[in-house]
Amino acid sequence: MKKIKIFALLALFFLSLSSFNFHKFYVSIYQINYASEKKMIQITSRIFIDDMNKALEDKYSKKTHLGEENESIEDVALMNKYLVENFSIKVNGENKTYHFLSKEIENNVIIGYYSIKNIPKINSLEVQNTVLLDQGFDQQNIIQSKLYGEKNSLLLTNSTIKGVLK
């Protein structure tokens, strides 16, 4: 019995010296595809729900309930307003407005679907993304694209908020 107690104390001591910090990843992912046959850019965003709700509350001083039973139309509208203010796209050097299509919840991620119509050709695509960067943690916004069959990606952070996909 004494050996079990000593072993338990040693195990507890070892664990107390170990790092028990569970670090949450602060990452959101954006997929940008060009459907040349439809002359349309299709955008999918994947953002952790709790991070988005916190950002909306901090920015607009309003508690939102995205991904919860009491989610409202106003919550979704506020999310879209936030995204428009923090995520922008230039096609061939010209600012483009994207339109919200729908959203869904998958586990603890809110997935948003957007489109930009009437894009006959893309020579360059510039993305600026400051979504969640104002939250004071090490947010990383990953942009993945598929343009004319070629895949590209960008990693946008507080130090690099925009990049060009060619």
Side-chain angles (χ1 to χ4, degrees):
M1 186 67 159
K2 189 175 181 181
K3 288 183 181 182
I4 293 174
K5 285 182 182 179
I6 291 173
F7 180 76
L9 285 173
L10 285 174
L12 183 63
F13 177 73
F14 176 77
L15 289 174
S16 68
L17 293 177
S18 300
S19 175
F20 250 69
N21 294 335
F22 293 103
H23 187 287
K24 181 178 175 187
F25 291 98
Y26 298 103
V27 176
S28 58
I29 300 173
Y30 304 80
Q31 180 68 44
I32 301 172
N33 295 328
Y34 179 59
S36 57
E37 66 283 354
K38 296 179 181 179
K39 297 181 181 174
M40 177 174 37
I41 295 174
Q42 301 164 328
I43 305 164
T44 304
S45 65
R46 287 178 167 77
I47 304 169
F48 286 109
I49 295 169
D50 59 338
D51 294 342
M52 179 57 77
N53 279 323
K54 181 166 179 2
L56 296 177
E57 183 175 356
D58 290 350
K59 180 150 180 124
Y60 303 111
S61 301
K62 182 182 183 312
K63 179 109 171 105
T64 56
H65 304 279
L66 294 169
E68 300 172 14
E69 284 184 23
N70 53 342
E71 174 184 284
S72 69
I73 294 170
E74 291 80 19
D75 293 343
V76 176
L78 204 58
M79 177 191 71
N80 287 320
K81 176 182 178 183
Y82 178 83
L83 287 172
V84 166
E85 292 172 359
N86 291 281
F87 182 84
S88 63
I89 293 182
K90 285 185 180 180
V91 178
N92 304 328
E94 183 181 330
N95 284 323
K96 294 293 180 180
T97 302
Y98 50 89
H99 303 282
F100 174 71
L101 301 173
S102 66
K103 64 126 183 97
E104 65 181 315
I105 305 298
E106 186 176 287
N107 297 322
N108 59 345
V109 174
I110 188 162
I111 304 170
Y113 300 98
Y114 305 86
S115 70
I116 303 172
K117 295 182 180 179
N118 301 319
I119 307 293
K121 184 178 180 183
I122 297 177
N123 295 320
S124 70
L125 186 71
E126 181 179 322
V127 178
Q128 180 169 324
N129 190 338
T130 58
V131 172
L132 303 178
L133 294 181
D134 56 352
Q135 292 300 296
F137 42 69
D138 295 327
Q139 176 68 28
Q140 296 181 339
N141 294 323
I142 299 170
I143 313 296
Q144 300 172 327
S145 70
K146 188 171 182 183
L147 307 173
Y148 300 109
E150 290 194 31
K151 294 180 180 181
N152 290 297
S153 63
L154 295 170
L155 176 61
L156 303 180
T157 63
N158 271 319
S159 61
T160 307
I161 62 168
K162 64 182 168 180
V164 177
L165 301 161
K166 295 183 179 189

